[in-house]
């Protein structure tokens, strides 16, 4: 049996360590996971009932087109229903985009250190990934534009960028769209959009009205707190959405996910609460990083990339042994940094307290 030659080098996705495993390994009672940008406040309290209400329909296939949810979301966002497509997480929308638009030999452009699923899915289709270095942790749109040629099919812009947390502005994205040839698809991944209320963040739904080649990705996994249900979506021109629909599996999102997402949309007070708490968490954490003299990238999502100026695996393992799971920067292209998800007040304080201990210990060990 010979697998496709362009996938033999692909690693199997390595998830962060589960909380239960870390508890057992280190004999800990309390473990905090700040590694996957999950919502520390869970989800809206109405979700439980929404899921229970679907239990009796478990033997029935879901509505593949997610009609009810599409209508609710279309109203919420102020776009037409035929501009929306759902996936099993926005991860699946990324997969469908690659499937629908990329063949072997096509080129696709992305930042050097960004969300790994763009490259992963492009390589499965045999496309050539052109990776453009970040500038100060931020997408360098001019350099990305300079890489566009007649083979370029998709440009991926992760905004805010995972793992650095930085953003490109409305003006920058608009200039980019003005200059890029209209047959190149531009994917703006806005998984953390709802956390952001700064003026300069792109009004991407406005840009959609002018640029048929723009697709915006969002998700219910992050601020909405529905990561386990796997539901995210793309918004774009009806023709592009139709194309993506042509490669969509018939029943790609579940009844529970559709129902829960619809209910989650209605509870915007939960979303506001999470946005405010997250902003307070960023202010606290960045204040502490300054006190400790640790450089960090400006954070716009619910995570911060901070440079600890020590080998990331050492810090990662030391934090792990004390019950705090983060993402080590060594696997993300930042060998002396970690990416930490903004938690609740209590979690953030515990993290800082533990980090201080760990940084002191590592100095002692290397002396
Ligand atoms: C978390 C994340 C996603 C996808 O999450 P899903 O759970 O698949 O919706 C997409 N893009 C970025 C940048 C993310 O951080």
């Amino acid at each position: 049996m010979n697998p496709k030659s362009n996938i033999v080098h692909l690693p199997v996705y390595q998830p962060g360590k589960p909380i239960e495993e870390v508890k057992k390994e280190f004999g800990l009672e309390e473990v905090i996971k700040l590694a996957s940008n999950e919502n520390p406040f869970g989800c809206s309290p109405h979700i439980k009932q929404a899921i229970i209400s679907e239990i009796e329909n478990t033997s029935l296939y879901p509505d593949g087109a997610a009609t009810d949810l599409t209508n609710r979301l279309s109203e919420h966002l102020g776009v037409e229903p035929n501009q929306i497509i759902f996936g099993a997480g926005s991860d699946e929308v990324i997969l469908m985009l690659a499937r629908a638009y990329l063949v072997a030999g096509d080129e696709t452009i992305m930042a050097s250190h960004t969300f790994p699923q763009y490259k992963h899915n492009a390589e499965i289709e045999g496309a050539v990934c052109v990776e453009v270095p970040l500038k100060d942790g931020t997408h360098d749109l001019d350099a990305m534009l300079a890489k566009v040629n007649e083979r370029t099919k998709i440009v991926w812009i992760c905004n805010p960028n995972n793992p650095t947390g930085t953003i490109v502005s409305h003006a920058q994205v608009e200039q980019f769209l003005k200059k890029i040839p209209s047959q190149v698809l531009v994917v703006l991944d806005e998984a953390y959009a709802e956390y952001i209320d700064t003026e300069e963040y792109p009004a991407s739904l406005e840009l959609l009205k002018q640029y048929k080649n723009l697709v915006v990705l969002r998700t219910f996994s992050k601020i909405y707190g529905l990561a386990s249900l796997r539901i995210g979506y793309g918004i774009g021109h009806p023709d592009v959405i139709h194309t993506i629909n042509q490669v969509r599996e018939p029943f790609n999102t579940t009844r529970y996910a559709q129902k829960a997402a619809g209910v989650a949309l209605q509870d915007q007070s939960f979303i506001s609460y999470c946005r405010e708490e997250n902003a307070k968490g960023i202010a606290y954490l960045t204040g502490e990083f300054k006190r400790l003299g640790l450089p960090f990238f400006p954070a716009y999502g619910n995570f911060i990339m901070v440079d600890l100026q020590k080998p990331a695996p050492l810090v990662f393992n030391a934090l792990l042994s004390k019950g705090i799971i983060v993402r080590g920067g060594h696997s993300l292209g930042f060998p002396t940094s970690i990416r930490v998800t903004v938690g609740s007040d209590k979690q953030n304080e515990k993290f800082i307290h533990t980090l201080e201990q760990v940084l002191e210990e590592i100095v002692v060990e290397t002396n």
Side-chain angles (χ1 to χ4, degrees):
M1 291 179 294
N2 293 314
K4 288 157 68 165
S5 62
N6 50 308
I7 71 158
V8 292
H9 71 289
L10 291 178
V12 173
Y13 181 76
Q14 295 297 327
K17 284 207 179 194
I19 288 177
E20 286 312 314
E21 206 174 292
V22 176
K23 277 186 186 170
K24 237 194 231 162
E25 187 174 342
F26 297 98
L28 297 164
E29 271 174 22
E30 198 199 338
V31 170
I32 302 174
K33 188 172 169 214
L34 300 174
S36 301
N37 301 345
E38 291 149 337
N39 190 333
F41 307 105
C43 59
S44 160
H46 302 299
I47 297 304
K48 188 171 173 183
Q49 191 51 45
I51 293 174
I52 290 171
S53 75
E54 278 299 328
I55 296 269
E56 59 183 317
N57 294 321
T58 295
S59 61
L60 305 176
Y61 280 111
D63 169 13
T67 313
D68 181 60
L69 178 59
T70 302
N71 290 334
R72 286 169 189 261
L73 185 62
S74 122
E75 208 161 288
H76 176 72
L77 297 175
V79 302
E80 295 300 320
N82 63 2
Q83 290 185 266
I84 297 171
I85 183 157
F86 287 97
S90 47
D91 276 357
E92 197 201 12
V93 185
I94 296 168
L95 176 151
M96 291 190 283
L97 282 163
R99 227 180 183 188
Y101 286 92
L102 299 176
V103 296
D106 284 345
E107 291 189 10
T108 181
I109 301 172
M110 63 201 68
S112 53
H113 297 105
T114 189
F115 194 57
Q117 294 313 107
Y118 317 139
K119 184 175 180 178
H120 178 83
N121 285 291
E123 289 191 339
I124 291 171
E125 304 303 334
V128 175
C129 295
V130 178
E131 296 175 86
V132 177
L134 294 171
K135 203 162 129 187
D136 299 327
T138 307
H139 279 72
D140 185 346
L141 294 186
D142 289 335
M144 291 174 89
L145 193 64
K147 296 288 185 191
V148 174
N149 62 34
E150 63 287 350
R151 291 183 299 279
T152 308
K153 290 288 168 59
I154 304 181
V155 180
W156 309 87
I157 303 172
C158 189
N159 204 37
N161 186 42
N162 186 354
T164 52
T166 58
I167 60 166
V168 283
S169 70
H170 185 89
Q172 288 172 310
V173 173
E174 191 168 30
Q175 278 307 308
F176 182 81
L177 287 166
K178 262 188 196 155
K179 291 179 194 158
I180 198 164
S182 60
Q183 77 275 10
V184 179
L185 196 66
V186 177
V187 179
L188 204 50
D189 185 345
E190 299 191 333
Y192 304 91
E194 301 87 355
Y195 277 111
I196 302 171
D197 59 6
T198 170
E199 276 284 305
E200 49 169 338
Y201 190 64
S204 51
L205 303 186
E206 287 303 310
L207 294 171
L208 278 179
K209 292 177 186 161
Q210 263 201 63
Y211 297 96
K212 186 177 169 175
N213 56 329
L214 176 65
V215 174
V216 176
L217 304 184
R218 295 202 184 152
T219 182
F220 285 96
S221 297
K222 302 290 160 56
I223 204 168
Y224 284 95
L226 303 182
S228 69
L229 292 175
R230 311 306 303 127
I231 187 151
Y233 56 98
I235 321 154
H237 188 279
D239 292 349
V240 174
I241 296 303
H242 178 77
T243 301
I244 308 172
N245 254 316
Q246 288 178 293
V247 303
R248 182 176 61 75
E249 295 294 325
F251 305 108
N252 64 325
T253 59
T254 67
R255 279 180 178 277
Y256 309 113
Q258 292 176 22
K259 186 65 183 268
V263 169
L265 270 182
Q266 283 180 315
D267 190 356
Q268 288 298 316
S269 65
F270 175 75
I271 302 305
S272 306
Y273 171 76
C274 295
R275 184 189 304 118
E276 285 158 24
E277 289 299 310
N278 183 67
K280 280 194 252 167
I282 287 183
Y284 166 73
L285 290 170
T286 55
E288 292 297 295
F289 294 151
K290 278 181 195 156
R291 177 175 67 78
L292 297 167
L294 303 171
F296 55 88
F297 288 118
Y300 289 88
N302 68 343
F303 57 94
I304 307 175
M305 176 77 91
V306 55
D307 186 355
L308 307 172
Q309 302 173 318
K310 298 188 194 304
L314 283 184
V315 183
F316 171 84
N317 284 316
L319 284 171
L320 196 66
S321 69
K322 293 182 186 327
I324 300 199
I325 315 173
V326 296
R327 282 300 294 267
H330 49 296
S331 57
L332 306 170
F334 297 85
T336 61
S337 298
I338 58 168
R339 190 197 69 189
V340 60
T341 302
V342 179
S344 63
D345 286 353
K346 234 177 115 186
Q347 292 174 331
N348 295 336
E349 282 163 25
K350 174 105 193 278
F351 163 70
I352 290 293
H353 177 73
T354 312
L355 180 67
E356 274 194 276
Q357 280 183 347
V358 159
L359 291 175
E360 273 171 37
E361 283 172 16
I362 289 177
V363 171
V364 172
E365 276 170 23
T366 51
N367 270 349

